[in-house]
Structures are given as structure tokens and as C-alpha cells.
Amino acid sequence: QVQLMESGGGSVQSGGSLTLSCTTSEYVYDAYCMGWFRQPPGKEREAVAFIDTDGTTTYADSVKGRFTISRDNTQNMVTLQMNSLKPEDTAMYLCASPPVCGGHLPPLIAVGYWGQGTQVTVSS
């Protein structure tokens, strides 16, 4: 059974930083696009940032210039560095893995594997 294991998250004040990590099997890491969706309270799930197997990255407009996604090939891990956090970044963040991204944020329906989620709370 494929697992996406998240770590990181927590509570921080506006302007602060947090780092999220997601590890998976070598098979998924080598073959699949990986990244993050988030779901704010009472709202729909939205794509945040993704990185393809060739290193191509894609970001939601709301996080461009503040969030950075990267791959660590030694640990089969994808990391989301979140800087200059805002209260509107508060959400459950879920690691996700669609087969391919192709330079675009994937739709929900394209995601094959999901993590269980980690909470990020930004206070003003």
C-alpha cells in the first residue's frame, strides 16, 4: 500500500516560516509528480505547489515568491518551505501525488495518492 508520510506544520505568527516534508516509497518518488494541496476551514481543497520528476515546479499564484518546493533524492522526500506566512495560509495541508504534472497544478481528480494531512495555523 502506497503511503505518503507528512511531517512539519504547526502554529506560527504572521510573517513566520514553517517547513513541511513528505516522504514516500522509492517507486512513487521516482515515477510521480509530488506536491501539496491545502484545505482551509469550510473551503474546497486547492493545489498549492508541485514538483515533477524532472524538477519542474508549479505554484499557486497566492504562494508564489513565498513558498518553495524541492526534492531530496537521498531521502525520497519532498519539502515545502513556507515563508512570510499569512493568516489566509491557515489550512490542512495534504501531500499528494498525481502521475504527472506537466508544468501545471493538477486537478483533484488526477491525484492517485494522498497523505493524511498536517495542520498549519497562522495567527495575526
Side-chain angles (χ1 to χ4, degrees), residues 42 50 56 85 90 106 110 113 121:
F50 277 81
T56 301
L85 283 162
T90 295
Y113 304 113
T121 302

Side-chain angles (χ1 to χ4, degrees), residues 29-30 32-34 51-53 69-73 77-78:
Y29 182 84
D30 287 346
Y32 281 66
C33 181
M34 292 187 67
I51 183 166
D52 227 319
T53 54
I69 190 169
S70 60
R71 283 178 174 259
D72 182 343
N73 296 333
M77 182 170 69
V78 173

